[in-house]
Amino acid sequence: MDKLVEFIARNLVEKPDQVRVRQRRYRERTVLHLRVAKEDTGRVIGKQGRVANAMRAVLHAAAQAQRRPDVELKIQ
Amino acid sequence: MSVQPYEFTAPTVDEAIALGLQELGLQPEDVEVQVVRKGSRGLLGIGRTDAIVRLIPRHSPAPTSEEVAKPAEPEVSSAPSEQEAPEGPASDLSASQEELPAPGPAQAAPLSAEATPSPPPPLPSPQEIGQLARDLLTEMVDLMGIRARVELHFLDPDQGTEPVIRLNVVGDDLGMLIGRHGQTLASVQYLVRLMVNQRIHRWIPLIVDVNDYREERAERLQRLALRLAEQVVSSGRGVALEPMPAADRRQIHLALRDHPQVYTQSVGEGDRRKVQILPK
């Protein structure tokens, strides 16, 4: 899951080398923390959170495909 | 089935523009609008015509940091309202500031040369762009843990226009990639477009499909539209379809746009928006 977010985020930003994803697993869910260069924040959030929500939809589908607990994405 | 990614039809010019923007995933400032035909309400519903607009995307519509809600720092009180967000937890701009490993000294570096390549590279050919898009989608699907392959096709919407890149993901059991009403598929397409756009700095017409879902759905919707239109004509009473996303509504509008006896209109807001088929 972290690799998936990292891949997408790196391909959306101007500074791919500053993309960091940290994954935390809990019993019922996995939480991913995505961090990008400050000026790239907008690129991974999007207007009205559109990009972030698209990534969430993809993560949700991936979790289903892998029969894994649902994934939460936080952007900081 | 013809694909015309630029032209949109609705009862009024404003609705047609809104529909197009929603479908293309663009904001008003990202496109140039040409009104092909102004709709007219007709007299007492007679002689009514739909409006047709053509949307020409401006280059590089990718959102930049400034256009977006400012918060690079957590901003607890005002999460941006999500107009048409798919289900799921609200956007989490107010993420916790926990112990992330400091992302290295590069963080402090000012805009470096790498961010702005000086000589503009030659424009890649549609084939190269298609290949790039396919590679990106293939890797994405792969990282999702889904076994599938991605086919690359080119569609010619009209002579003289740029071909539309069509990526079709083929495999077994790909329902989760489509999602309810194709919402996940729409997200995948949106992300692939953004990734390609970020690479070549240009908006390109691109469609992502899964096991020909979009194509089949378009045909199903068109058949449904024609069937319902017949019903409306024979009963003399209008019908409303169930709420559906913009791309689906568009198929209904398109299927009936030249119908002699009925016309269509969309009513309702957001998730509740649906098409009505009404006698002329």
Side-chain angles (χ1 to χ4, degrees):
Chain A
M1 292 296 171
D2 49 344
K3 292 279 177 285
L4 175 60
V5 172
E6 194 175 316
F7 169 74
I8 296 171
R10 279 185 199 279
N11 279 290
L12 294 178
V13 300
E14 292 287 333
K15 297 189 165 177
D17 55 322
Q18 289 187 41
V19 170
R20 296 282 181 282
V21 180
R22 199 181 41 137
Q23 177 163 280
R24 286 228 162 151
R25 285 167 192 276
Y26 301 93
R27 199 174 310 159
E28 299 289 318
R29 62 197 179 119
T30 301
V31 180
L32 294 174
H33 297 266
L34 169 63
R35 193 160 193 170
V36 300
K38 197 170 176 183
E39 62 271 32
D40 278 330
T41 321
R43 292 189 173 83
V44 294
I45 295 176
K47 295 173 191 163
Q48 275 108 39
R50 189 148 181 229
V51 179
N53 283 328
M55 286 197 281
R56 290 187 180 107
V58 166
L59 279 169
H60 180 71
Q64 267 183 287
Q66 300 174 32
R67 295 195 167 70
R68 296 234 297 247
D70 210 359
V71 185
E72 231 174 87
L73 175 65
K74 301 195 175 199
I75 297 170
Q76 43 207 168
Chain B
M1 198 193 60
S2 73
V3 176
Q4 299 168 303
Y6 302 113
E7 278 191 13
F8 299 91
T9 306
T12 67
V13 169
D14 286 348
E15 281 182 273
I17 294 171
L19 175 67
L21 290 173
Q22 197 177 348
E23 191 161 328
L24 294 173
L26 296 174
Q27 302 291 327
E29 61 270 25
D30 299 330
V31 298
E32 192 180 308
V33 177
Q34 286 178 358
V35 178
V36 178
R37 187 176 80 189
K38 281 189 187 174
S40 115
R41 290 251 164 239
L43 190 62
L44 301 172
I46 301 163
R48 186 184 163 285
T49 52
D50 276 344
I52 303 175
V53 299
R54 189 173 291 146
L55 301 187
I56 300 147
R58 296 184 185 155
H59 294 170
S60 203
T64 62
S65 351
E66 313 91 67
E67 297 173 278
V68 173
K70 340 62 239 192
E73 298 301 320
E75 186 182 80
V76 185
S77 52
S78 65
S81 69
E82 303 173 58
Q83 290 173 339
E84 50 183 79
E87 70 267 39
S91 145
D92 212 331
L93 299 176
S94 50
S96 49
Q97 283 266 56
E98 293 168 49
E99 1 68 72
L100 245 203
Q107 171 95 349
L111 270 177
S112 60
E114 82 186 41
T116 49
S118 19
L123 279 181
S125 69
Q127 279 69 26
E128 288 170 313
I129 299 172
Q131 199 55 55
L132 165 69
R134 179 196 188 160
D135 290 347
L136 288 166
L137 179 57
T138 303
E139 181 149 9
M140 185 154 118
V141 168
D142 194 49
L143 286 168
M144 289 174 78
I146 293 171
R147 290 169 60 98
R149 68 172 204 286
V150 179
E151 298 171 347
L152 169 62
H153 306 277
F154 295 94
L155 309 174
D156 243 322
D158 282 307
Q159 281 69 26
T161 46
E162 203 174 354
V164 177
I165 294 167
R166 177 170 181 273
L167 300 172
N168 188 30
V169 185
V170 180
D172 294 331
D173 240 354
L174 299 181
M176 86 295 277
L177 209 48
I178 296 171
R180 199 171 63 90
H181 287 315
Q183 280 170 350
T184 306
L185 178 53
S187 293
V188 171
Q189 173 173 295
Y190 180 59
L191 289 174
V192 173
R193 273 185 186 163
L194 282 180
M195 291 194 284
V196 172
N197 182 262
Q198 174 65 16
R199 207 61 87 76
I200 62 176
H201 293 284
R202 203 159 77 81
W203 189 94
I204 45 123
L206 181 148
I207 294 169
V208 177
D209 208 341
V210 173
N211 288 334
D212 294 323
Y213 166 85
R214 275 185 201 277
E215 242 170 49
E216 279 165 22
R217 180 151 179 88
E219 284 163 19
R220 266 203 307 280
L221 287 167
Q222 285 168 9
R223 281 198 301 272
L224 173 71
L226 294 173
R227 210 169 57 234
L228 288 172
E230 256 174 56
Q231 198 180 307
V232 168
V233 169
S234 62
S235 73
R237 285 216 301 247
V239 296
L241 283 77
E242 64 175 275
M244 54 178 79
D248 288 357
R249 293 197 307 272
R250 175 165 178 254
Q251 295 301 334
I252 307 283
H253 291 307
L254 282 178
L256 298 177
R257 95 169 161 196
D258 295 322
H259 196 286
Q261 289 161 292
V262 302
Y263 69 99
T264 56
Q265 66 183 27
S266 294
V267 295
E269 294 297 321
D271 281 356
R272 304 295 311 158
R273 202 158 164 80
K274 59 189 178 183
V275 180
Q276 290 179 332
I277 302 176
L278 302 165
K280 275 186 184 169

